[in-house]
Amino acid sequence: MAVQWYPGHMAKAKREVTEKLKQIDVVIEIVDARIPLSSRNPMIEELISHKPRLVLLNKSDLADPETTKAWQEAFSDEFTSTLTIDAQHGKGIKQIPQEVKKLASVLFAKWERKGINPRAVRTLILGIPNVGKSTVINKLAGKKIAIIGDKPGVTKKQQWIKVGKEMELLDTPGILWPKFEEEAVGYRLALTGAVKEDLLDFQDMAVFLLRFMTDTYPEVLKSRYDLSHIPEDMVELFDAIGRRRGCLVSGGEVDYDRTAEIVFRDFRQGLFGRVSLEHPGDKQI
Ligand code: GDP
């Protein structure tokens, strides 16, 4: 989250990833299962070109399981496989080498045709900040690897980590920037912890989230704030939540700033339960 993206940083990140990709057979792209589109780099397709790719839908413990299933189908194609994982708790990690091997079958066939001895499949983890790249690398390595390559002035020799017999992983991930153009994307990134919260206004984010919850998960919203119904008017909804949570200023008025911050933090802390902020086929994406 410390990474601030300016044009110079983006150009450097792109150069570094392009350089790393030269050595790579299969790309492992990590996205946040709650926002699989907003948590992707806008240039990812162009960057990885036609290399086989495994998309990991990470943080699935926080996402709506039905929606994650739908995303898994939406992402898979001829060159792309998808796995749903929860890196924090190590779920789905063991399947990664198997999927990588399947994706590399074209490569094995090519080696055989050319009479080249098969070697381990070389992989690289790619993703925007905070999607779980280090967590996945550490789980695959089976130990804690210090990822220091992205600190200014620190260069680290890259090492290959052996994962089983048939897979190797670069120990430094490729870090790319998220999409920024759309306001809604910024809200989704902030709500899921991918960008700094102080870049955005709490009231704007709370309005965005409450509208989304009203449309998509009304029962979750009602139960979270103990509401008998959801008022259509946003001010009334803020009033109802603010009163429930005791966010009042002198004179008994609701403190909208504090109410907004509470709603935002409740979501960030996972208190709404398993909620996906993007669904395949949504118009707003
Ligand atoms: P990186 O910046 O992409 O390397 O992300 P990190 O691996 O440092 O993870 C960012 C944050 O997300 C950390 O607080 C992790 O503990 C957390 N995290 C990573 N994977 C998961 C997951 O599957 N579920 C949950 N709930 N948290 C995760």
Side-chain angles (χ1 to χ4, degrees), residues 89-207:
H89 307 98
K91 288 193 187 143
I93 298 288
K94 277 205 189 107
Q95 284 156 267
I96 295 175
Q98 295 159 24
E99 286 303 318
V100 163
K101 194 179 165 191
K102 273 192 233 161
L103 280 164
S105 57
V106 189
L107 203 72
F108 291 131
K110 193 168 111 190
W111 288 339
E112 204 180 324
R113 269 201 318 275
K114 294 190 169 177
I116 299 171
N117 277 342
R119 55 161 174 77
V121 181
R122 292 183 183 148
T123 62
L124 168 72
I125 302 238
L126 272 186
I128 68 165
N130 245 35
V131 280
K133 296 181 296 301
S134 320
T135 312
V136 172
I137 292 175
N138 287 321
K139 292 281 178 196
L140 282 170
K143 58 181 182 225
K144 192 140 178 52
I145 309 256
I147 295 178
I148 55 168
D150 59 330
K151 297 230 170 79
V154 181
T155 43
K156 176 172 172 267
K157 197 173 170 299
Q158 290 180 357
Q159 310 258 9
W160 292 103
I161 301 166
K162 274 230 153 255
V163 184
K165 283 201 186 91
E166 289 167 312
M167 173 178 160
E168 285 179 359
L169 172 68
L170 261 196
D171 67 345
T172 50
I175 306 169
L176 291 167
W177 60 95
K179 299 175 183 153
F180 295 115
E181 317 84 60
E182 268 176 73
E183 215 164 43
V185 171
Y187 294 146
R188 291 185 197 116
L189 290 168
L191 284 161
T192 53
V195 295
K196 279 191 186 163
E197 60 190 51
D198 52 291
L199 297 176
L200 297 159
D201 179 271
F202 283 127
Q203 283 203 28
D204 284 348
M205 277 189 287
V207 167

Side-chain angles (χ1 to χ4, degrees), residues 15-156:
R15 263 198 315 275
E16 283 176 3
V17 166
T18 308
E19 194 52 40
K20 283 182 178 164
L21 280 170
K22 287 183 186 156
Q23 317 167 67
I24 297 304
D25 303 315
V26 174
V27 175
I28 302 176
E29 183 198 357
I30 308 188
V31 298
D32 185 318
R34 294 166 294 175
I35 50 165
L37 296 185
S38 294
S39 60
R40 302 189 102 181
N41 173 267
M43 298 177 73
I44 191 88
E45 304 288 346
E46 181 195 323
L47 275 169
I48 69 171
S49 186
H50 288 302
K51 281 189 199 289
R53 166 177 35 175
L54 175 60
V55 176
L56 301 179
L57 291 157
N58 190 35
K59 307 199 185 185
S60 62
D61 54 314
L62 303 172
D64 182 334
E66 286 302 311
T67 307
T68 304
K69 243 189 249 165
W71 277 119
Q72 215 174 325
E73 279 169 32
F75 271 124
S76 304
D77 65 28
E78 198 188 340
F79 300 108
T80 311
S81 296
T82 318
L83 270 183
T84 295
I85 65 163
D86 162 5
Q88 177 118 308
H89 307 98
K91 288 193 187 143
I93 298 288
K94 277 205 189 107
Q95 284 156 267
I96 295 175
Q98 295 159 24
E99 286 303 318
V100 163
K101 194 179 165 191
K102 273 192 233 161
L103 280 164
S105 57
V106 189
L107 203 72
F108 291 131
K110 193 168 111 190
W111 288 339
E112 204 180 324
R113 269 201 318 275
K114 294 190 169 177
I116 299 171
N117 277 342
R119 55 161 174 77
V121 181
R122 292 183 183 148
T123 62
L124 168 72
I125 302 238
L126 272 186
I128 68 165
N130 245 35
V131 280
K133 296 181 296 301
S134 320
T135 312
V136 172
I137 292 175
N138 287 321
K139 292 281 178 196
L140 282 170
K143 58 181 182 225
K144 192 140 178 52
I145 309 256
I147 295 178
I148 55 168
D150 59 330
K151 297 230 170 79
V154 181
T155 43
K156 176 172 172 267

